[in-house]
Amino acid sequence: MGFTNPAAFIFSFFIVGLVLLYLWERQQRRLDVPSMLLWQAIPEAVVRRRRFQPDNLFWLQLAGMAALLLGLANPYLDIDFETGHDGRLILVIDLSASMQTVEGGTTRLDLAREQAIRVIRSMPLREIMVIGAGREPMIITPFDRGHESVIEVIGNLQAKDVSTRLEPALAIAQRASFQSDVRTAIHVFTDVPRHSVGARWRDGVSWWPAGTNSDNLAIADVQTTQGVLQNHREMGARIAVQNYGTKEKHGSLAVRVDGELVAQELFTAPPQSTQSFHFPQLSASGLLEASLQAEDALALDNHWRTWLPRFRPIRIALVGATPELANTMSRLDDAAEAIIIDASPSGETTGGADIVVYHHTTPESLPDDVATLLIAPLADLATRKPATELREAAVVDWNDDHEVLRGIDPRLLHRFASLKVLQTPPWGEMVLSAQAADREVPALVVGKPGSRRAAILAADLGSEPFLSSDREPLLLLVLNLIDWLAEQRSDVTVARTGDSKAIADPDAPVVEVIDPKGMPLYIDQAQLSLGLDYAGTYQVVRQDGTRTNIFANFQDSEESNVGRTPAEPYAATSNYAQGADSLKVNRGFGVWIYIAAAMLLIAEWIVAIRSVEHG
Amino acid sequence: MDDVSLSYLLAHPGSLGLSVDQPFLLLAAAAAALFFIRSPPDAARRAVPLRAAAFAAVVASIAGINVTTRLPADQLTLVAAVDVSGSIENAALDWSQEYLRAVRSSLAPGDELAVVTFAESPAIAATASPDDDLPAITRPPGIAATDISAAIDQALGLYPRGSQKALLLLSDGNETSGDSRSRIETMRALGVRVHAVPPPRANTADIRLARLSAPAVVPAERPLPLRVVIRNSGGPRAAVLNLYLDGLLTDSAALALDAPLQTFDALLRVPQPGGHIIRAEIVSDGDARVENNSREASVVVRSETTVLLATRHRYSPVAEVIRRRGVNVTAVHPSRLPTDIEDYSALHLVVLEDLRARDLTDAAAVALERFVRVNGGGLIFAGGGASFGDREFHGSPIEKLLPVTLEPRRPRPGKRDPLALFLVIDRSNSMGFNSRIGTLRDGEKLRYALKAGVEVVKQLKDHDRVGVIAFDARPHEISPLLPLKTNRRKLLDALPRIVESGGTDFFDALVSAGEQLSQSRVNRKHIVLLTDGDTNRAGRGEYRALVEKLAAAEISVTTIRIGDNTVNLKLLQEISEGTGGSFHHVENAQMLPDLMLRDTSRAIRPLTPETQRFLPAFGTDHQVLAGTDESGIPPLADYAFSKLKPSSESLLQVDRSDRRDPILSVWRYGLGRVAAFTASPSEDAETWPAWTGFARLWSQLAFWTARAESDDDLAVEATRRSDRTNLVLRTFHRDDVGGAVTGELDAGDPHIAVPFSPREPGVYEATMPALSPGRYPLRVRERIGQHVREVETIVAVPSQPEDERREYAHGNDNQDLLRELTRRTDGSLGASAAEVTRRPKGSRTVSYPLAGILIPLAMAAFLADIALRRITSLRANPAA
């Protein structure tokens, strides 16, 4: 038996008060007697002992008060049910990319499957939950007594081409065990070493290691390269191949563009080494596929897809540009592969531009359908107040990590002849700052106010000879900025497995996607995003029938590094939830005590009235 | 219905309601009428309401009366990512703990809170489970890094499907690794809103060494330019800036920090090749945090700049001045120029001096062209007409890489060379009189003087330059020296409007005219001084010095006395004779126009080859010319005519009548820079070595044109982390697109093998066990294509771990990042705990049973009822 609300006993002082009230009243009452003669012989102690002589009314009152207190405490009885429950079992199975590693004719996932099934068969009459661990945890089956159905589900599990993240899955398993009142055992089937997860998770968990094979060759990285001051047409590719194994490997690397073989290299890779292959001046555009042919344990990381963008000049519209700036910008054709499509004082015809450049002009609002560059605007974008000017402002600080500054040593920018003093807008990030006297002001601010990128360059390029050989860092900055703003778009997306991509189509309630295995997926407005679980090509089918592609590549050096130290399975010596084999059910009966209290209230009242009436 | 806490109800009073589980049981409250019907007859009757209230409370509790409130439609899963990295103060951790408690108490029933703490890596501190208590926020080891993106990745794994998802980011936003912005799209796709709340900073009076800027590679002969940027978020204070080189204090300076941002520049000499660590440290009392008071920069001092100079002369002044700057210059005969590109690998610059086409073999020309275009080498081609006018250069690789065209001869001048002329005209009172009738005030003298000036202005060409000063006791500049193309109309308007006034002193007028003429870069410079009287200024010595100065500047002065005043004609004669001009005494002012025209004609007569001088003037502003005084540049005896190619720039040029001929021009050719000096340093510019600016000009030109690193240079930079050291090796071999590089580091016995992996063309990376700060010899073996070599260098390991440097680099919250994360996910920045969990009410209802309140009230009413009755009874009948 117990109480659901034991804190109610704090109100016991009401009972104490009742007793104290009775004793006080007794003390106040006087007894008139004709003579003290008969009482003189009675010992004081006897008299004192008989002072507490409660009447029936007191007992009724006490009973009523006690009933109220007890009802508030809400006592309950435990009733044991023999459930015949042997506890619960939670199986956490690693479904990450490395589980596809081949181990002596089978895969690590197959080994894990076999181990899991053996565990199931060794423990009859248990409810079983299966949780898959990959990039995100997934409850494969909730607690189920049907062992054969669970075994069938386990048999159909497929590994995904994603990284391992065990801790969230263990968190779900732990939570499920906490919510269970019976003994719950957790078993983990993975190739991740037990010591690599936190102590919080590995205590109380049985661990079944799967696999040791280290023989893996992988495409570690593919970069498309463009030389210094080279244009887009001279793009090449650099492919890094890494041998994670402990033995020398031979293989070949093939590079195809739009299906056509453009290069092939035979190589020998020493153990634990990385080699780099350079393919300059591919002079092609389209889908670039790199593939390794080699005997290794994990084939997933032997392929890579990327996109060589089709050359298209960046189209720039100039608004309000001074003749000097217009002339200079027009000479960017070769360097930036940019063409000036329009130069008008007020920007009436900026349609078709990738970037609209406002010089000495502050638009009412930034256009949402085109990238924007403001150069030395005369008025601050946020406050609309005229911007003051600083002369000979030296570059003082910068954001080393921003891609706009890639390849540039900002120290060599030295100073700007003329700089407008502007505030950083809410959407902006200051990339470059300058100083004049003791004042620091933003020189370059970039951001994404809406769906397109925008930048504010406070330096007046019209006053800077940025095509001069003396100002090459400034020229590179302008080129980088144009490139970053243009954000050359295509119908192709290159992503990594494990990412999520938003692909909802506002015009369609459901979007169809064909995954790399050829299976159709249907993404609705509520779901919004597509998780890239597999490497390969995802085809997104729009309502108008057009298709766009997402190339998902698997790249994770930790997953590709498949070698493991042999380890024995670990049997947990304790479980998270130490429940009994029986189930306890609480039956509270506070309400009945309240009913008794109500009746006692009435009874006490009646007795009190009668005692008054009878004198 | 779900249960809810009382505190939640009190926090959300707006949507409260009442419900009863068993409403029909409330009818039992009617039994309370018994208390009124059978009430005590006496004063105890006052106990009736108390008893009735107690009874009603009990009946209500039996019926199950509840307070209800509506909840948001969906369950919220809130994952709190708590930054516990080093940049978060201890007080801020306590604040985060309190904030989480406030968040938890404001969650609606059914909502869940999970906690992920993060610094370098994330850890799940509490799952979204009601059974998981709120963890104590503590700081684990490995805090000197902040990876927000990893925390986001961890958090994303904790959201169940179907719930509303929110991420509470308790961080200052200063991430040192990872890229949280890259997770924005994923969070948007999953519907995760980010609420960022940066913990407050206890003490904002912080001095921070924001940046120590230094070039990554510097040649051994150049000083190392340093720039220190200091930020001060408190008031003005004194500080000390210390500079250390490889751990040794080299310089210390007291500073007054009286602005939020201050920069300090210094030059450091580091002659020893190899890697070095420069550390700047700012020390000041009362600084909030000392972890951000120092910065280190890795600098590689490469070998001295190496120049190959090919000349036919035994002595080259150019080689000499460059050599004096610490550059390694090797002078060879042109026939010995290397023909194999590999032989240029160690060179930074090649200078060709006074070469002819036959001096160069074809192979050498091809190698030179590739050296510049592909390998980024620098080239200076200096020579006169014999070089630039050599027809055999046509079609050669040399012609392609020059910034100017090769022209066989200079074209005949279409126009004569320009004249720079100053008219210095007396406008004193006496000029208002007639030149022959001294008492007739008809303005004749001035009128004819001005008329003469007008005629001269009309006579001269647009490319001539004219200035006018009218003087009385002081000079009045009517026009500075400007080309007539822009100035003619103004002069023709202004001259006739000059009126007579005041005394006579032409000294300052001559000085001003002389200064302006000296700065003009034309061969012919002339002054015509028109006056009718003697100067008021005494002091012949002054004039003597002025005359000498004008003569030295090759400015001739023609002096004309108007009228019959013969006082001190000698002075005027001395001025004209001393400067090579003419003296005239004109008694009839009407002769002035003819006289002036004749004098001007003499001034513009053609120069003979013996008198011909070519004065280079500045063209485009350029760092090569920094510190050079244009007026001091000596004339050239001759130069080769050439034309600028598109995209090239003319730094020095000779201003001809109808064109500007480049003397020094530069451009970028491929990856390299090329400069052309179209005069022979040993013949046309023979007098230049005596010029004080000669060494500066040529050394600056050499340093600017030379490539920063040769093919043989390499730089190794080390960054230290808590458990490892990263080495990044950069080669500058232009053919390096990824070879095999290994190293051996001498860190004691045995040496440590360093396997470098290619990261990108010319960049290799290696990770090795943690090294102590210091300098270590490193032997590097490269195999890049057919190119194999071994190089020894020094790698400097900094004392400050990279993570720590990045962690304490910022003194303020990264509001930009936090703002972007929240704005783009429709979250909030700086919201309170209640605001973070607030959502619109939905149709879900939860209840709080009132029995816990009603029963104690019933007990109190019951006791009060009993007390009242007992006391009333006692008073009525005190006897037992």
Side-chain angles (χ1 to χ4, degrees):
Chain A
M1 176 175 165
F3 298 93
T4 63
N5 185 24
F9 289 106
I10 200 174
F11 294 109
S12 303
F13 63 84
F14 285 118
I15 294 178
V16 174
L18 183 65
V19 172
L20 290 175
L21 180 63
Y22 173 77
L23 290 174
W24 174 80
E25 191 209 4
R26 291 288 298 172
Q27 194 178 33
Q28 299 302 314
R29 289 233 182 249
R30 89 173 182 265
L31 180 63
D32 291 335
V33 294
S35 168
M36 290 287 293
L37 188 64
L38 293 179
W39 277 272
Q40 282 177 354
I42 296 174
E44 181 67 20
V46 173
V47 174
R48 206 179 292 119
R49 271 200 304 275
R50 291 185 178 171
R51 283 186 67 187
F52 188 72
Q53 292 177 323
D55 54 13
N56 292 336
L57 199 59
F58 172 80
W59 290 119
L60 280 173
Q61 290 162 355
L62 184 64
M65 195 69 84
L68 287 173
L69 184 65
L70 204 59
L72 189 63
N74 194 21
Y76 68 87
L77 289 175
D78 291 333
I79 301 172
D80 287 347
F81 284 99
E82 280 298 324
T83 60
H85 212 295
D86 287 327
R88 287 176 166 160
L89 186 64
I90 300 176
L91 306 181
V92 177
I93 301 180
D94 186 347
L95 297 178
S96 66
S98 61
M99 295 299 281
Q100 300 173 50
T101 305
V102 173
E103 300 280 345
T106 183
T107 67
R108 289 182 182 175
L109 181 60
D110 290 333
L111 290 175
R113 245 194 283 270
E114 289 166 14
Q115 287 163 345
I117 293 172
R118 274 201 292 275
V119 167
I120 292 172
R121 294 204 189 284
S122 71
M123 299 182 189
L125 298 177
R126 283 210 176 190
E127 289 184 310
I128 300 173
M129 171 187 278
V130 179
I131 299 173
R135 181 95 175 148
E136 294 172 355
M138 191 167 43
I139 296 178
I140 307 292
T141 62
F143 283 115
D144 190 339
R145 281 187 166 273
H147 287 195
E148 291 308 315
S149 63
V150 171
I151 288 171
E152 185 180 350
V153 165
I154 290 174
N156 292 331
L157 286 176
Q158 299 280 335
K160 298 188 179 181
D161 303 342
V162 295
S163 310
T164 308
R165 190 167 285 131
L166 273 183
E167 291 198 359
L170 290 172
I172 290 181
Q174 186 192 52
R175 180 183 173 178
S177 68
F178 280 153
Q179 289 177 337
S180 167
D181 288 331
V182 297
R183 186 180 295 126
T184 306
I186 301 175
H187 292 249
V188 180
F189 304 87
T190 179
D191 63 349
V192 171
R194 181 168 164 266
H195 61 76
S196 66
V197 295
R200 173 199 175 99
W201 308 109
R202 59 175 186 257
D203 293 344
V205 169
S206 297
W207 207 271
W208 298 85
T212 58
N213 192 355
S214 66
D215 181 19
N216 188 30
L217 206 60
I219 294 178
D221 193 18
V222 173
Q223 289 181 9
T224 50
T225 61
Q226 185 178 335
V228 175
L229 301 179
Q230 287 181 316
N231 65 38
H232 294 275
R233 295 191 193 90
E234 299 171 17
M235 190 173 286
R238 188 193 71 86
I239 301 174
V241 174
Q242 187 158 358
N243 181 6
Y244 290 97
T246 54
K247 299 177 192 169
E248 189 177 78
K249 296 288 295 181
H250 305 280
S252 78
L253 173 66
V255 177
R256 290 180 168 77
V257 179
D258 275 351
E260 190 176 323
L261 184 68
V262 296
Q264 189 155 20
E265 291 269 349
L266 300 176
F267 63 88
T268 300
Q272 304 272 315
S273 70
T274 306
Q275 288 192 35
S276 187
F277 299 91
H278 185 61
F279 304 96
Q281 296 196 331
L282 292 171
S283 299
S285 59
L287 172 64
L288 183 146
E289 293 177 276
S291 52
L292 284 176
Q293 281 84 44
E295 292 282 333
D296 69 341
L298 184 64
L300 170 63
D301 48 19
N302 292 1
H303 304 276
W304 193 284
R305 293 161 200 81
T306 190
W307 185 252
L308 299 177
R310 290 191 167 83
F311 165 71
R312 185 175 77 81
I314 299 171
R315 298 160 64 84
I316 298 175
L318 295 175
V319 178
T322 59
E324 295 79 13
L325 182 63
N327 179 48
T328 308
M329 294 288 282
S330 68
R331 292 167 60 193
L332 283 179
D333 283 7
D334 286 335
E337 297 290 359
I339 55 173
I340 308 300
I341 61 167
D342 182 67
S344 63
S346 54
E348 301 95 355
T349 56
T350 57
D354 297 306
I355 305 172
V356 175
V357 177
Y358 293 90
H359 183 223
H360 287 178
T361 307
T362 306
E364 283 300 315
S365 62
L366 296 181
D368 195 51
D369 57 345
V370 65
T372 313
L373 171 61
L374 273 62
I375 298 177
L378 297 180
D380 189 271
L381 192 65
T383 64
R384 296 282 149 185
K385 290 181 184 170
T388 55
E389 185 184 17
L390 287 179
R391 308 290 300 179
E392 298 299 316
V395 172
V396 68
D397 208 353
W398 53 87
N399 180 353
D400 299 270
D401 298 325
H402 204 281
E403 54 185 297
V404 168
L405 297 182
R406 188 168 297 156
I408 298 172
D409 183 353
R411 294 180 313 110
L412 300 180
L413 289 169
H414 296 302
R415 56 184 63 242
F416 297 109
S418 166
L419 194 81
K420 293 292 183 192
V421 179
L422 303 166
Q423 291 183 19
T424 302
W427 51 261
E429 174 193 358
M430 187 164 67
V431 173
L432 200 65
S433 68
Q435 181 192 20
D438 294 329
R439 196 176 170 185
E440 183 188 17
V441 294
L444 174 62
V445 170
V446 301
K448 200 166 184 177
S451 61
R452 300 300 300 272
R453 291 175 171 175
I456 303 176
L457 181 61
D460 191 350
L461 286 186
S463 316
E464 301 279 353
F466 70 92
L467 290 185
S468 161
S469 58
D470 203 20
R471 299 290 273 152
E472 281 169 358
L474 182 57
L475 171 62
L476 287 176
L477 176 66
V478 173
L479 295 179
N480 276 5
L481 190 56
I482 289 174
D483 201 40
W484 180 83
L485 283 167
E487 217 181 353
Q488 295 259 12
R489 296 182 162 197
S490 70
D491 292 331
V492 171
T493 303
V494 180
R496 293 195 179 171
T497 56
D499 287 349
S500 292
K501 286 292 171 190
I503 58 163
D505 185 347
D507 297 327
V510 175
V511 175
E512 182 186 357
V513 178
I514 312 295
D515 77 0
K517 296 187 184 300
M519 297 296 294
L521 308 170
Y522 298 96
I523 312 298
D524 59 28
Q525 290 285 350
Q527 192 175 346
L528 290 179
S529 68
L530 169 68
L532 304 176
D533 291 334
Y534 300 105
T537 304
Y538 287 80
Q539 293 185 54
V540 180
V541 185
R542 299 286 173 191
Q543 199 174 25
D544 59 2
T546 58
R547 296 186 176 210
T548 57
N549 291 327
I550 301 175
F551 298 127
N553 293 307
F554 172 74
Q555 185 193 24
D556 188 322
S557 58
E558 288 190 19
E559 288 291 311
S560 292
N561 191 6
V562 296
R564 300 286 184 266
T565 305
E568 292 298 319
Y570 171 80
T573 55
S574 63
N575 296 314
Y576 283 122
Q578 291 291 343
D581 291 332
S582 61
L583 196 60
K584 288 191 185 298
V585 177
N586 299 338
R587 293 268 186 253
F589 47 91
V591 170
W592 297 105
I593 299 175
Y594 285 153
I595 294 173
M599 293 171 70
L600 283 167
L601 285 175
I602 295 174
E604 190 271 345
W605 184 262
I606 293 173
V607 169
I609 295 299
R610 280 187 179 168
S611 72
V612 169
E613 287 173 351
H614 292 148
Chain B
M1 282 185 284
D2 299 321
D3 286 340
V4 66
S5 69
L6 183 61
S7 60
Y8 183 85
L9 291 174
L10 293 176
H12 299 82
S15 55
L16 295 180
L18 282 176
S19 69
V20 182
D21 294 338
Q22 313 282 354
F24 68 92
L25 291 178
L26 290 175
L27 293 174
L34 171 69
F35 306 117
F36 293 92
I37 296 169
R38 293 296 302 273
S39 61
D42 51 13
R45 191 171 291 135
R46 289 176 291 176
V48 171
L50 291 171
R51 177 56 62 97
F55 183 79
V58 175
V59 169
S61 299
I62 293 169
I65 192 168
N66 307 292
V67 172
T68 63
T69 186
R70 287 187 298 127
L71 292 180
D74 296 326
Q75 176 197 5
L76 169 69
T77 300
L78 181 65
V79 178
V82 184
D83 190 344
V84 296
S85 65
S87 62
I88 304 294
E89 298 163 2
N90 288 336
L93 291 184
D94 297 334
W95 177 90
S96 295
Q97 186 89 60
E98 287 307 310
Y99 191 92
L100 285 180
R101 284 205 189 94
V103 165
R104 190 164 203 179
S105 66
S106 62
L107 286 173
D111 291 347
E112 295 176 331
L113 173 66
V115 179
V116 172
T117 59
F118 71 94
E120 190 174 26
S121 58
I124 299 176
T127 59
S129 165
D131 300 304
D132 228 350
D133 293 330
L134 209 55
I137 304 299
T138 55
R139 208 195 295 274
I143 59 168
T146 306
D147 191 344
I148 297 176
S149 58
I152 293 174
D153 290 341
Q154 188 77 292
L156 291 179
L158 295 176
Y159 293 111
R161 290 181 196 271
S163 71
Q164 284 197 28
K165 305 176 183 64
L167 176 71
L168 174 62
L169 181 61
L170 301 180
S171 170
D172 58 8
N174 290 317
E175 57 183 0
T176 63
S177 58
D179 180 12
S180 54
R181 285 186 173 90
S182 66
R183 304 300 193 269
I184 290 177
E185 285 303 320
T186 300
M187 288 193 286
R188 282 170 57 88
L190 295 173
V192 176
R193 295 186 179 200
V194 177
H195 301 284
V197 186
R201 291 177 183 266
N203 187 344
T204 58
D206 183 42
I207 292 177
R208 177 165 63 93
L209 205 148
R211 183 173 291 281
L212 171 61
S213 170
V217 180
V218 65
E221 77 275 2
R222 306 295 303 274
L224 177 67
L226 298 175
R227 167 162 282 198
V228 177
V229 179
I230 298 173
R231 294 187 183 272
N232 177 16
S233 60
R237 64 181 72 190
V240 174
L241 176 65
N242 296 323
L243 289 177
Y244 298 83
L245 173 63
D246 298 327
L248 295 176
L249 181 67
T250 60
D251 200 0
S252 187
L255 306 176
L257 300 180
D258 48 14
L261 176 80
Q262 284 175 263
T263 58
F264 300 93
D265 295 317
L267 287 175
L268 207 61
R269 279 271 174 206
V270 190
Q272 190 183 10
H276 297 272
I277 297 295
I278 313 294
R279 188 163 74 92
E281 176 191 55
I282 188 82
V283 180
S284 178
D285 294 333
D287 188 15
R289 307 197 75 169
V290 297
E291 297 91 348
N292 55 13
N293 285 13
S294 68
R295 283 266 201 156
E296 287 180 332
S298 293
V299 172
V300 174
V301 175
R302 64 156 172 83
S303 58
E304 59 200 352
T305 302
T306 306
V307 176
L308 181 67
L309 187 142
T311 178
R312 295 164 52 244
H313 308 294
R314 287 193 181 188
Y315 172 77
S316 166
V318 172
E320 196 52 41
V321 296
I322 299 175
R323 194 177 281 128
R324 268 191 247 129
R325 288 289 203 254
V327 175
N328 179 7
V329 180
T330 303
V332 299
H333 190 272
S335 61
R336 294 181 56 198
L337 273 170
T339 56
D340 186 347
I341 188 61
E342 287 297 321
D343 295 330
Y344 288 88
S345 62
L347 298 176
H348 300 88
L349 173 67
V350 173
V351 179
L352 305 180
E353 187 179 306
D354 287 334
L355 257 64
R356 299 201 175 97
R358 61 172 182 268
D359 295 327
L360 275 177
T361 63
D362 290 344
V366 168
L368 268 173
E369 193 271 347
R370 185 184 164 81
F371 168 69
V372 175
R373 178 173 54 83
V374 177
N375 291 35
L379 177 72
I380 298 176
F381 190 97
S387 299
F388 283 88
D390 190 339
R391 290 176 193 240
E392 292 180 31
F393 273 128
H394 282 288
S396 73
I398 298 298
E399 183 187 26
K400 277 196 284 190
L401 52 74
L402 290 178
V404 294
T405 59
L406 302 174
E407 305 292 332
R409 64 178 68 82
R410 189 180 302 127
R412 289 180 178 279
K415 298 176 189 173
R416 61 169 170 78
D417 285 338
L419 169 70
L421 171 70
F422 243 106
L423 299 176
V424 180
I425 303 175
D426 188 347
R427 55 159 264 182
S428 61
N429 254 334
S430 55
M431 288 291 283
F433 287 82
N434 190 282
S435 60
R436 287 152 293 141
I437 306 170
T439 56
L440 177 60
R441 193 183 177 87
D442 62 356
E444 184 199 45
K445 283 191 273 188
L446 183 61
R447 186 169 65 251
Y448 274 93
L450 296 177
K451 187 177 178 190
V454 166
E455 292 302 318
V456 166
V457 169
K458 286 180 180 175
Q459 177 200 25
L460 293 176
K461 307 290 184 204
D462 281 349
H463 65 280
D464 293 320
R465 301 172 194 188
V466 178
V468 176
I469 296 175
F471 67 90
D472 42 44
R474 300 184 291 117
H476 305 278
E477 187 178 90
I478 305 301
S479 166
L481 190 69
L482 289 171
L484 278 176
K485 187 177 178 181
T486 59
N487 206 21
R488 192 190 302 271
R489 173 54 50 194
K490 178 186 171 186
L491 288 174
L492 292 176
D493 285 343
L495 276 168
R497 289 209 289 266
I498 295 174
V499 295
E500 66 277 13
S501 169
T504 308
D505 183 356
F506 49 76
F507 181 84
D508 291 333
L510 282 179
V511 168
S512 174
E515 281 174 358
Q516 293 189 44
L517 287 171
S518 296
Q519 290 168 5
S520 72
R521 304 299 287 170
V522 299
N523 272 318
R524 307 163 199 274
K525 296 181 277 275
H526 191 60
I527 296 173
V528 177
L529 171 62
L530 284 151
T531 181
D532 73 336
D534 189 17
T535 177
N536 292 340
R537 187 186 297 224
R540 299 284 279 271
E542 285 181 277
Y543 278 98
R544 198 171 296 121
L546 175 61
V547 167
E548 286 172 0
K549 193 172 176 184
L550 290 172
E554 298 182 354
I555 299 172
S556 56
V557 183
T558 289
T559 54
I560 303 175
R561 173 67 69 86
I562 310 166
D564 55 5
N565 186 346
T566 57
V567 173
N568 207 8
L569 289 176
K570 196 169 188 303
L571 174 61
L572 295 178
Q573 286 170 334
E574 285 173 355
I575 291 172
S576 59
E577 285 169 11
T579 58
S582 308
F583 166 73
H584 305 279
H585 183 195
V586 175
E587 293 195 5
N588 185 353
Q590 295 182 7
M591 296 170 64
L592 280 175
D594 287 339
L595 179 62
M596 291 264 289
L597 285 173
R598 282 201 303 274
D599 183 70
T600 307
S601 297
R602 272 199 297 275
I604 61 176
R605 67 177 179 272
L607 294 169
T608 61
E610 290 75 23
T611 58
Q612 180 84 43
R613 288 289 183 268
F614 303 102
L615 293 169
F618 284 170
T620 307
D621 188 25
H622 201 276
Q623 58 180 296
V624 168
L625 303 175
T628 299
D629 178 16
E630 184 191 44
S631 63
I633 302 176
L636 293 167
D638 201 358
Y639 64 92
F641 172 67
S642 62
K643 295 179 188 172
L644 282 179
K645 290 181 182 173
S647 305
S648 64
E649 299 165 276
S650 176
L651 307 188
L652 291 178
Q653 58 202 19
V654 168
D655 201 3
R656 307 308 299 267
S657 55
D658 53 350
R659 65 179 192 273
R660 291 194 172 97
D661 294 340
I663 300 298
L664 175 62
S665 51
V666 297
W667 76 341
R668 179 174 280 282
Y669 180 78
L671 296 181
R673 289 172 171 172
V674 182
F677 186 78
T678 56
S680 167
S682 56
E683 293 171 11
D684 303 326
E686 190 179 12
T687 59
W688 280 38
W691 167 42
T692 53
F694 178 73
R696 179 197 296 271
L697 178 67
W698 276 99
S699 59
Q700 285 178 176
L701 179 64
F703 286 131
W704 182 85
T705 314
R707 60 179 173 175
E709 295 90 16
S710 71
D711 294 346
D712 288 353
D713 291 324
L714 63 82
V716 183
E717 187 178 330
T719 52
R720 201 162 74 90
R721 297 189 185 266
S722 53
D723 58 344
R724 61 191 189 279
T725 300
N726 286 348
L727 299 184
V728 175
L729 182 148
R730 280 178 288 149
T731 69
F732 303 100
H733 201 286
R734 276 18 175 219
D735 292 336
D736 183 358
V737 293
V741 177
T742 57
E744 191 177 282
L745 189 84
D746 182 0
D749 195 19
H751 293 182
I752 302 174
V754 184
F756 285 95
S757 301
R759 193 171 79 178
E760 55 188 78
V763 180
Y764 301 83
E765 198 168 18
T767 300
M768 49 193 301
L771 290 173
S772 303
R775 302 179 75 225
Y776 299 86
L778 175 70
R779 177 175 298 175
V780 177
R781 190 164 194 281
E782 294 178 351
R783 182 169 56 82
I784 300 166
Q786 304 301 320
H787 185 77
V788 179
R789 65 170 183 155
E790 277 194 17
V791 178
E792 294 214 8
T793 184
I794 302 287
V795 60
V797 177
S799 58
Q800 188 177 37
E802 177 67 11
D803 297 335
E804 193 179 298
R805 181 194 70 78
R806 292 170 69 90
E807 183 64 26
Y808 299 112
H810 306 279
N812 298 317
D813 304 333
N814 188 346
Q815 289 283 337
D816 292 338
L817 173 64
L818 297 177
R819 203 181 300 123
E820 186 170 356
L821 288 174
T822 55
R823 184 180 61 84
R824 292 180 61 196
T825 58
D826 295 327
S828 65
L829 178 60
S832 65
E835 288 167 344
V836 166
T837 57
R838 182 177 302 145
R839 285 166 294 145
K841 302 295 181 189
S843 56
R844 275 197 308 149
T845 309
V846 288
S847 65
Y848 181 81
L850 285 176
I853 298 172
L854 292 174
I855 296 300
L857 289 175
M859 293 170 74
F862 187 30
L863 184 62
D865 159 29
I866 294 169
L868 187 61
R869 282 187 284 120
R870 285 201 180 271
I871 292 169
T872 306
S873 168
L874 187 63
R875 286 181 184 163
N877 186 14

